[in-house]
Amino acid sequence: DPSGTTTARRSPKAVLKEVFGFDSFRPLQGEVVEHVAGGGNALVLFPTGRGKSLCFQIPAICRHGVGIVVSPLLALIHDQVEALRQAGVAAAALHSGLGADEAYAVRDAARDGALDLLYVTPERLLTPAFLDFLAGIDIALFAIDEAHCVSQWGHDFRPEYAGLGRLGELFPDIPLIALTATADPRTREDIVRSLRLEDARIFESSFDRPNISYTITERAEPRRQLIDFLARHKGASGIVYCLSRRSVEETAEWLTTKGIRALPYHAGLDGRIRAANQNAFLREDGLVLVATVAFGMGIDKPDVRFVAHMDLPSSVEAYYQETGRAGRDGLPAEAFMVFGTKDVLLRRRMIDEGSAPDTVKRVERAKLEALIGICETCDCRRQAILRHFGEAHPGHCMNCDTCREPVERFDGTVAAQKLLSAIVRTGERFGAGHVADVLMGKPTEKVVRFGHDKLKTFGVGGEMDAKGWGSVLRQLVSLGVVGVDHEAFGALRLEEGAREILKGERPVMLRAARAPARRDRRRGGT
Ligand code: ADP
């Protein structure tokens, strides 16, 4: 073989069958493989479990040279390399855990063209030594897995990912494929910009996970609610997410006293115990893993039947990722969450008291509010979740709690009109707090300074407090008729459909307010 490789180049279809044992590509998967195998750049936006890995593994095997795969976590890398080796693919990883001899052997194999795939973490890839090494070998492609890690907007920002844009400059002729299961438009823009993927073809499959049913229920007695929920899933494997390590341990212990097989998982546990609990969950049937968000990324257990949230996640993205760990096998699965005042206050406080710069805090607040909107919606939750990711869904999925048992609503048309008109009359330049002040007729310094106490809408919303208006606003955002400009201090603006509401052509039904009042953080200035 003149190229020095050990295997003859095969067609993607043949590799799919002979190496991975699958008869056909999943929708779009074959297109991605063809495109990248042909040398094109690609951005792949598929939900979890949809089959992203083959999108770069097969082109790497088919093309001349070694495919360099960037992945954020060693655990993820180990799992993939192990699975590939078992399938007979020449795969390896370079990481700090290797001895010098092993690392040499891996590099030699790559130089000799004896490797199909080489996995590295981003921090390793970007070292001068590694970039030098890359310059001296044949590279089939670069694959950037979990590409949302480049975005601060994402829930999993990793600063090392920001440097990966250099790959396109250093190796302009090598195809680059970025993959993620996070698809909101903002994250996507960040990926394209950071990784210089302006010319890449975008492959996007629906983010709907139709086999997952969504239930978000008001927190009353959370433990009893959890037990009742688990009773519907006897003998099934599932994850219960809690916010704190302490509540993880307490909940696991308590479930055990109730005769449910439950194990804790969080980053503070001894490494051996953590690994043992994770393995037990992966290998055994019918185990409940009670975990913090430290658990989950890259876990491929197809038959997770439920994911329960005892606390509110930080964003829609996080909620979607975490619930997405259920039902990867396509069989019915359930996402369950208890939600109440406590969650909202706690999450807001975590942001306020966090060490992030103000710009980041603003984004975090907006993301939290978007999730609260989905918790409060009285319309189809699936539709609201998908809308958040920029995807249209007709609603009425009949597989979420709001579709199955319609919630108590009130005719919020007039309230919505008041709010929308206050946004318009203040010039679509102000955030939620200010608009609520105008509605409630509060002559704050800022209201007076802008002359908003002279507006016709000043004081027309005295029937509700800030809490009520906050809830109406979130629901309008969740309906998509109000947009929030995060770049402009959370300024509210009207979106499609808002005019019809203002003209009285479209009625608005709202869920009765139940979220807590916003804490007053009026800041005078801005
Ligand atoms: P993702 O990275 O999108 O979460 P994976 O690449 O881990 O998904 O794939 C999820 C599961 O789907 C794996 O078990 C994989 O073997 C399986 N899979 C992927 N592509 C196909 C296919 N074309 N036919 C059948 N199964 C597939």
Side-chain angles (χ1 to χ4, degrees), residues 16 22 24-26 29 46-54 300 328:
L16 179 72
F22 300 133
S24 55
F25 283 112
R26 290 187 171 156
Q29 207 180 29
F46 288 0
T48 307
R50 185 64 171 57
K52 284 186 289 299
S53 313
L54 294 188
D300 187 7
R328 290 175 72 142

Coordinates of all heavy atoms in Angstrom, one line a residue, residues 16 22 24-26 29 46-54 300 328, ligand 1:
L16 N -19.9 1.4 7.5 CA -21.0 1.3 8.3 C -21.4 -0.1 8.6 O -21.7 -0.5 9.8 CB -22.2 2.1 7.7 CG -23.5 2.1 8.5 CD1 -23.4 3.0 9.7 CD2 -24.7 2.5 7.6
F22 N -24.1 -1.8 11.1 CA -25.4 -1.2 10.9 C -25.7 -1.3 9.4 O -24.9 -1.1 8.6 CB -25.5 0.2 11.3 CG -25.3 0.4 12.8 CD1 -24.4 1.4 13.3 CD2 -25.9 -0.4 13.7 CE1 -24.1 1.6 14.6 CE2 -25.7 -0.2 15.1 CZ -24.8 0.8 15.5
S24 N -28.1 0.6 7.7 CA -28.4 1.9 7.0 C -28.0 3.1 7.9 O -28.0 2.9 9.2 CB -29.9 2.0 6.7 OG -30.6 1.8 7.8
F25 N -27.7 4.2 7.3 CA -27.5 5.4 8.0 C -28.8 5.9 8.6 O -29.9 5.7 8.0 CB -26.9 6.5 7.1 CG -25.4 6.3 6.8 CD1 -25.0 5.9 5.6 CD2 -24.5 6.4 7.9 CE1 -23.6 5.7 5.3 CE2 -23.2 6.2 7.6 CZ -22.7 5.9 6.4
R26 N -28.7 6.7 9.6 CA -29.9 7.4 10.1 C -30.1 8.6 9.2 O -29.2 9.1 8.6 CB -29.7 7.8 11.6 CG -29.8 6.5 12.5 CD -29.8 6.9 13.9 NE -30.0 5.7 14.7 CZ -29.6 5.6 16.0 NH1 -29.0 6.7 16.6 NH2 -29.9 4.6 16.7
Q29 N -27.4 11.4 8.6 CA -26.1 10.9 9.0 C -25.3 10.5 7.7 O -24.1 10.9 7.7 CB -26.3 9.6 9.8 CG -25.2 9.2 10.8 CD -25.6 7.9 11.5 OE1 -26.3 7.1 11.0 NE2 -25.1 7.8 12.7
F46 N -27.3 17.6 16.2 CA -28.2 16.5 16.4 C -28.4 16.4 17.9 O -27.5 16.5 18.6 CB -27.6 15.2 15.9 CG -27.5 15.0 14.4 CD1 -27.9 15.9 13.5 CD2 -27.0 13.8 13.9 CE1 -27.8 15.7 12.1 CE2 -26.8 13.6 12.6 CZ -27.2 14.6 11.7
P47 N -29.6 16.0 18.3 CA -29.8 15.8 19.7 C -29.1 14.5 20.2 O -28.6 13.7 19.4 CB -31.3 15.6 19.8 CG -31.8 15.1 18.5 CD -30.9 15.8 17.5
T48 N -28.9 14.4 21.5 CA -28.3 13.3 22.1 C -28.9 12.0 21.6 O -30.1 11.8 21.5 CB -28.4 13.4 23.6 OG1 -28.0 14.7 24.0 CG2 -27.6 12.3 24.3
G49 N -28.0 11.0 21.3 CA -28.5 9.7 21.0 C -28.8 9.5 19.5 O -29.2 8.4 19.1
R50 N -28.6 10.6 18.8 CA -29.0 10.5 17.4 C -28.0 9.9 16.5 O -28.2 9.5 15.3 CB -29.3 12.0 17.0 CG -29.9 12.3 15.6 CD -31.2 11.7 15.4 NE -31.7 12.2 14.1 CZ -31.1 12.1 12.9 NH1 -29.9 11.5 12.9 NH2 -31.6 12.6 11.8
G51 N -26.7 9.8 17.0 CA -25.7 9.1 16.2 C -24.7 10.1 15.7 O -24.3 10.0 14.5
K52 N -24.2 11.0 16.5 CA -23.2 12.0 16.0 C -21.8 11.3 15.8 O -21.1 11.7 14.8 CB -23.1 13.1 17.0 CG -24.2 14.1 16.9 CD -24.0 15.3 17.8 CE -24.1 15.0 19.2 NZ -25.4 14.5 19.6
S53 N -21.5 10.4 16.6 CA -20.1 9.9 16.5 C -19.7 9.3 15.2 O -18.6 9.6 14.6 CB -19.9 8.8 17.6 OG -20.4 9.2 18.8
L54 N -20.7 8.6 14.6 CA -20.3 8.0 13.3 C -20.1 9.0 12.2 O -19.4 8.8 11.2 CB -21.5 7.1 12.8 CG -21.8 5.8 13.6 CD1 -22.8 4.9 12.9 CD2 -20.5 5.0 13.8
D300 N -23.5 6.8 28.1 CA -24.4 6.2 27.0 C -25.1 5.0 27.6 O -24.6 3.8 27.4 CB -23.5 5.8 25.8 CG -24.4 5.3 24.7 OD1 -25.7 5.4 24.8 OD2 -23.9 4.8 23.6
R328 N -32.8 7.0 25.3 CA -31.9 7.0 24.1 C -32.3 5.8 23.2 O -31.9 5.8 22.1 CB -30.5 7.0 24.5 CG -30.0 8.4 25.1 CD -28.6 8.3 25.6 NE -27.7 8.3 24.5 CZ -26.5 8.9 24.4 NH1 -26.2 9.6 25.5 NH2 -25.7 8.9 23.4
Ligands
ADP1 P1 -24.8 11.1 20.0 O1 -23.3 11.3 20.0 O2 -25.5 11.8 19.0 O3 -25.4 11.3 21.4 P2 -24.0 8.4 19.5 O4 -23.1 8.6 18.4 O5 -23.5 8.0 20.9 O6 -25.0 9.6 19.6 O7 -25.0 7.2 19.0 C1 -26.1 6.8 19.8 C2 -26.4 5.4 19.6 O8 -27.0 5.2 18.3 C3 -25.2 4.5 19.7 O9 -25.5 3.4 20.5 C4 -24.9 4.1 18.2 O10 -24.3 2.9 18.1 C5 -26.3 4.1 17.6 N1 -26.3 4.4 16.2 C6 -25.7 5.5 15.6 N2 -25.9 5.4 14.2 C7 -26.6 4.3 14.0 C8 -27.2 3.7 12.8 N3 -27.0 4.3 11.6 N4 -27.9 2.6 12.9 C9 -28.1 2.1 14.1 N5 -27.6 2.6 15.3 C10 -26.9 3.7 15.2

